[in-house]
Amino acid sequence: MDKNPTEVTVATFNKLAQRYQDKYMELADYDDTYALFCKHLVSRNARVLELACGPGNVTRALLARLPDLQIVATDLAPQMVELARANNPTAHFAVMDCRDVGGQGKNFDALVCAFGLPYLSRAEAANLIADAVSILNPGGLLYLSAMEAEESRSGWQTSGAGDQVYLHYHDEQHLRSALGLHGFDIIDMKRKPGPAQSRIASMDLFILARLKTA
């Protein structure tokens, strides 16, 4: 029987949650993208839904800039959510599959999905962008980051210890097309070098977009 990529990946993140926190909690490489996101928010106490929050490293980076943000952060790995809650006692957390975001109601000023796209297929990423429209207020912000390489290189990644995750690679064009189709204007797009230890050469792609008001 074929392995379920989502189930295997979540199990790996549950197992390695503490190690992931130790590696990424203090990482400052993407701080400029968080600063730009905060600059374009409608208010200092905006309601933000965060997907694939991991141990809460992005949550903490945003709250360090704007402590009054009303953040609801979610992840599909329960151990990640527990760490994120401990790291950010003023935010709210829940275990949730980011593919279920469409049922959250139109309650948010911004949606953040920092490196959640590597765990979504191209079709799922397009659905996420479509679902964002249903939960964002007019003029709402969308922050996305992805690993950029040829889609055909997507597949299982196995560590030396045998732990596995399934990674999906994305490209600017299909994300740009999905954003335009669903009424988003791109505010900023930038790239940074991907992980040096990765067996597949990739770039980290960051997109900040705003939902049109009419």
Side-chain angles (χ1 to χ4, degrees):
M1 182 180 294
D2 291 340
K3 294 179 289 187
N4 182 298
T6 299
E7 290 180 0
V8 174
T9 299
V10 170
T12 295
F13 278 124
N14 265 326
K15 176 183 176 182
L16 303 179
Q18 184 64 51
R19 188 183 303 177
Y20 192 93
Q21 173 180 270
D22 295 343
K23 181 176 182 179
Y24 291 105
M25 205 65 198
E26 305 300 328
L27 184 69
D29 293 11
Y30 312 135
D31 281 0
D32 58 326
T33 70
Y34 308 144
L36 186 65
F37 170 81
C38 289
K39 176 183 176 181
H40 284 276
L41 284 170
V42 294
S43 68
R44 299 182 66 85
N45 66 342
R47 284 181 51 79
V48 179
L49 178 61
E50 183 183 355
L51 307 177
C53 69
N57 49 311
V58 176
T59 318
R60 190 170 74 171
L62 297 178
L63 289 172
R65 288 165 174 77
L66 296 175
D68 293 329
L69 288 178
Q70 303 175 62
I71 298 181
V72 178
T74 66
D75 198 285
L76 191 51
Q79 291 302 316
M80 288 292 196
V81 172
E82 288 306 308
L83 289 176
R85 182 179 286 114
N87 288 321
N88 298 280
T90 65
H92 299 280
F93 294 89
V95 176
M96 189 184 83
D97 191 330
C98 65
R99 292 170 295 188
D100 297 332
V101 69
Q104 300 306 301
K106 206 171 189 71
N107 297 312
F108 296 95
D109 301 305
L111 176 63
V112 173
C113 187
F115 289 108
L117 295 190
Y119 310 103
L120 298 178
S121 68
R122 176 176 287 202
E124 289 169 337
N127 287 338
L128 175 63
I129 291 170
D131 287 342
V133 177
S134 69
I135 67 106
L136 287 175
N137 294 319
L141 282 183
L142 177 59
Y143 174 106
L144 299 173
S145 49
M147 299 173 69
E148 187 175 33
E150 294 178 6
E151 183 188 16
S152 61
R153 308 191 78 173
S154 300
W156 291 102
Q157 303 263 318
T158 305
S159 72
D163 299 305
Q164 288 189 307
V165 297
Y166 194 99
L167 287 182
H168 293 275
Y169 293 97
H170 297 269
D171 64 75
E172 173 188 340
Q173 189 53 52
H174 87 80
L175 293 174
R176 183 184 289 274
S177 295
L179 289 164
L181 178 64
H182 296 291
F184 285 93
D185 289 325
I186 294 176
I187 297 172
D188 185 75
M189 181 179 293
K190 58 170 54 75
R191 290 174 172 83
K192 295 174 182 285
Q197 71 275 18
S198 176
R199 65 179 178 82
I200 294 178
S202 65
M203 296 292 288
D204 291 339
L205 177 65
F206 301 84
I207 301 174
L208 183 63
R210 187 182 300 280
L211 183 63
K212 295 176 182 178
T213 56

